Amino acid sequence: MNGLVLLIISIAILLCGYIFYGRYLCKKWGIGEKDVPTPAHTMEDGVDYVPAKAPVLMGHHFSSIAGAGPITGPINAAAFGFGWLAIALWVLIGGIFFGGVHDFGSLFASLRHGGKSIGEIISVNMSKRAKRLFIIFAYLTLILVVAAFASIVAGTFAATFDESGAVNVAASTANARVAMVSLLFIAIAIVFGFAVYRRNMPVGIASIIGVLAIVLIIVIGMNFHPLYLSSNTWMLIVGIYIAVASIVPVWILLQPRDYLSSFLLYAMLVLAVVAVVMARPDMSSIALIQSADSTTPVFPVLFTTIACGAISGFHSLIASGTTSKQLDKESDAKPIAYGGMLLECVLAILTLCAVAYAYSWNAANPDSALVGATAIFGGGIAGMIDPSRGSVYDILYTLLVLTYSAFCLTSLDTATRLGRFMFQEFWLDGSKGETPENVTGYKKVLSNPYVATAITVVLGIVLGLNGYEKIWALFGSANQLLAALALLAVATWLSNIGKDNKMFLIPMAFMLCVTIASLWINTVSQFNLIRAGGADWGPYAQVFFGVMLIILAVVLAIEGIITIAGTKKKKAA
């Protein structure tokens, strides 16, 4: 099959899923039955709870959930040899029936719990012990996300140095351009925020000016890029940025930067579609290389490798952490949460097409092969448009790397703010109405937003500088365990209030099986490395956390099942 046919079929299936299954979910949950004010209005504080117009919030939500996941997932799955059909099927089925339900349900549940996180939803509907277990796990996962994405962003900005310590300008130009444009992007986002929220400029006019400003800063960055700094230096700069971004009101930086970033992301989607239409890559180049002696089983590896393009626990933290605090109307939940997830599925399919082209190119041009996620995605799309690899290719490649970096930076500052929320919630008892303002003693200190942010940033940056890769193998499983537990939390809440939760049960059970199987395989593998001798701290950490996550999954699953079963017995009585 050629890539264009796959893309058309995929978009048609996803569109049907949005219209029909999305409508079914709204009907079952009672969304739109009455005009329920959202937490953005009932709890508006000008910092975290700020109502945003649907297009602005869609920009934040989509930019934050996408990250690098829907790009790296299909690329890695293809490298494992799963074949294009298995990858595409998981993206489509997972997106409509797993990821879309997960994201939409997490946002809806948070809306009905005052914009609180999944942890607080678990506390109210299961137990305080379950909440604390979930928050500890979610917070550690967010620290890993901060470490990884900070490292990725620093890597896309960093200069290359030769043996004498001098900058290799030729090898560093693309990164310097991306760094310059990204810094200018932050500046225009702040101006956009003040223009819209403090000068009441119409969003439409501000958007036109913002898009023109994006074009201008790209031109400036392509021609003026004096910053040639090391990766470690950029890590420290990124740390300072995310600390500030986590504290300042969302209307100053988070909302406008993510909204303006979304134009880059939408442009990238359009560019990728044009590329597939022009090149129509042969999908058979992504060969199914699984064999009888393969050490990479389809189950569970496919379902942890492709997360963001199908279902990702990180999405539930965003939906219930930042998006729910900014949603203007409850009716906006479906297009933003369910629609945002399906749009991410489109990006995953486009990435799969880029992989097909890149594999064909590599087979014909081994001396200039596209290697690594950034090169395969950026080089694949740019190559489909300009196969001669001329000046058009160079410009498109730089813009695509910039967009990839924008994805990561957006997810990074959102993850930092989420980490701050999680850290604060851990010390507070929502059932007693505790807030950072009305508690005393150690709770007063540890729930302080500045303290929570400082701890989160320091832990993330230190881990990023000292080898987060050693435990990164756990992320796929940990992320999908988050998804399983979010599905469990929303299913428990719906059961408690008498709403239909059947659409959560199969995805929840499947993701729990995927998670436990994946954790078990990885833990046994790392234990064997330790037994062989010579292992550093990485395998020890993976074995410890792997066992802890399996126990966490089992404990919370049992609590959720007991709660749901108890609710059904009460109804029967």
Side-chain angles (χ1 to χ4, degrees):
M1 179 183 290
N2 79 57
L4 179 58
V5 174
L6 173 63
L7 179 62
I8 292 172
I9 293 173
S10 298
I11 291 176
I13 291 173
L14 292 170
L15 188 60
C16 289
Y18 177 80
I19 294 171
F20 298 109
Y21 200 61
R23 182 187 301 161
Y24 166 79
L25 296 176
C26 289
K27 181 179 179 181
K28 288 295 182 180
W29 299 342
I31 295 179
E33 289 179 351
K34 53 184 178 179
D35 186 17
V36 179
T38 64
H41 292 284
T42 60
M43 304 176 67
E44 185 172 359
D45 61 6
V47 178
D48 297 316
Y49 290 84
V50 178
K53 294 185 182 299
V56 175
L57 187 55
M58 180 62 175
H60 158 70
H61 183 80
F62 180 59
S63 299
S64 297
I65 65 170
I71 295 174
T72 57
I75 291 172
N76 291 337
F80 282 136
F82 293 136
W84 68 269
L85 182 58
I87 296 170
L89 285 175
W90 172 232
V91 167
L92 297 175
I93 296 172
I96 294 171
F97 299 105
F98 287 65
V101 173
H102 167 272
D103 293 15
F104 193 9
S106 298
L107 176 57
F108 178 51
S110 181
L111 290 174
R112 294 298 174 89
H113 286 80
K116 300 297 184 182
S117 73
I118 293 295
E120 281 296 331
I121 295 168
I122 288 176
S123 177
V124 172
N125 294 279
M126 290 169 60
S127 70
K128 293 179 183 177
R129 179 186 67 176
K131 166 200 168 179
R132 289 185 176 274
L133 288 173
F134 177 84
I135 287 182
I136 291 172
F137 160 58
Y139 184 75
L140 292 176
T141 304
L142 286 169
I143 293 299
L144 188 54
V145 169
V146 171
F149 280 27
S151 182
I152 291 172
V153 170
T156 60
F157 290 175
T160 302
F161 298 86
D162 58 28
E163 294 180 357
S164 65
V167 175
N168 184 333
V169 176
S172 306
T173 297
N175 284 14
R177 287 171 173 169
V178 171
M180 189 64 184
V181 174
S182 297
L183 292 177
L184 293 173
F185 205 101
I186 293 171
I188 66 170
I190 294 172
V191 174
F192 180 93
F194 273 97
V196 172
Y197 289 98
R198 287 298 177 266
R199 293 292 178 263
N200 298 316
M201 181 181 290
V203 172
I205 295 175
S207 299
I208 294 172
I209 296 174
V211 170
L212 293 175
I214 291 172
V215 175
L216 177 62
I217 65 172
I218 289 174
V219 172
I220 293 173
M222 294 290 287
N223 294 280
F224 177 71
H225 36 79
L227 299 176
Y228 291 85
L229 306 175
S230 68
S231 179
N232 286 352
T233 301
W234 277 118
M235 280 288 284
L236 296 176
I237 294 172
V238 168
I240 294 170
Y241 164 74
I242 60 177
V244 174
S246 173
I247 291 295
V248 299
V250 291
W251 62 265
I252 291 179
L253 186 56
L254 190 72
Q255 281 185 5
R257 200 189 79 80
D258 293 355
Y259 175 61
L260 292 176
S261 293
S262 69
F263 287 103
L264 276 178
L265 309 184
Y266 301 146
M268 181 189 71
L269 288 171
V270 172
L271 190 66
V273 169
V274 170
V276 172
V277 171
M278 291 177 63
R280 298 184 293 282
D282 182 5
M283 302 307 298
S284 65
S285 62
I286 305 178
L288 179 62
I289 60 173
Q290 289 290 305
S291 60
D293 61 347
S294 174
T295 58
T296 309
V298 173
F299 182 91
V301 178
L302 174 64
F303 307 101
T304 56
T305 302
I306 299 179
C308 286
I311 178 173
S312 167
F314 183 57
H315 294 191
S316 68
L317 302 184
I318 293 168
S320 67
T322 56
T323 305
S324 63
K325 295 177 176 63
Q326 302 172 62
L327 196 77
D328 185 37
K329 297 180 294 183
E330 199 172 83
S331 58
D332 292 339
K334 178 189 169 185
I336 289 173
Y338 197 70
M341 179 65 241
L342 300 191
L343 189 58
E344 193 172 18
C345 295
V346 175
L347 177 57
I349 295 295
L350 288 168
T351 299
L352 192 60
C353 294
V355 173
Y357 176 85
Y359 278 22
S360 297
W361 171 271
N362 291 350
N365 304 274
D367 295 334
S368 57
L370 298 167
V371 180
T374 305
I376 288 175
F377 178 72
I381 293 175
M384 282 190 274
I385 293 176
D386 182 13
S388 66
R389 288 197 168 193
S391 58
V392 173
Y393 177 93
D394 291 337
I395 293 172
L396 292 178
Y397 183 83
T398 300
L399 293 177
L400 289 164
V401 172
L402 169 64
T403 307
Y404 183 81
S405 176
F407 266 121
C408 295
L409 194 56
T410 299
S411 295
L412 176 60
D413 56 27
T414 300
T416 308
R417 188 175 284 260
L418 292 172
R420 190 250 290 180
F421 290 153
M422 287 285 181
F423 193 88
Q424 290 178 279
E425 282 187 6
F426 181 82
W427 306 104
L428 302 174
D429 188 342
S431 64
K432 297 179 180 178
E434 290 184 350
T435 67
E437 291 75 27
N438 63 22
V439 292
T440 59
Y442 73 93
K443 287 187 175 183
K444 184 76 170 179
V445 175
L446 294 175
S447 65
N448 180 279
Y450 298 100
V451 173
T453 297
I455 292 173
T456 302
V457 171
V458 169
L459 289 175
I461 296 300
V462 168
L463 180 60
L465 289 169
N466 291 277
Y468 77 91
E469 300 94 342
K470 295 181 184 297
I471 57 173
W472 182 248
L474 278 174
F475 176 73
S477 301
N479 184 51
Q480 298 305 63
L481 177 54
L482 267 177
L485 297 180
L487 289 165
L488 173 64
V490 181
T492 304
W493 167 64
L494 288 173
S495 177
N496 286 342
I497 63 173
K499 295 286 186 180
D500 191 349
N501 67 354
K502 293 183 180 65
M503 67 288 295
F504 286 92
L505 301 183
I506 292 177
M508 176 189 69
F510 182 79
M511 296 313 298
L512 278 172
C513 292
V514 164
T515 297
I516 293 173
S518 178
L519 287 169
W520 177 256
I521 291 171
N522 186 70
T523 300
V524 170
S525 172
Q526 296 302 310
F527 183 73
N528 289 335
L529 289 177
I530 294 172
R531 290 180 59 190
D536 59 13
W537 64 270
Y540 288 94
Q542 290 198 47
V543 168
F544 173 77
F545 285 113
V547 172
M548 291 298 101
L549 290 177
I550 290 173
I551 294 173
L552 171 72
V554 172
V555 169
L556 290 181
I558 291 173
E559 284 216 25
I561 291 170
I562 290 174
T563 302
I564 293 173
T567 302
K568 289 183 177 180
K569 286 182 180 179
K570 288 179 182 177
K571 289 179 183 176

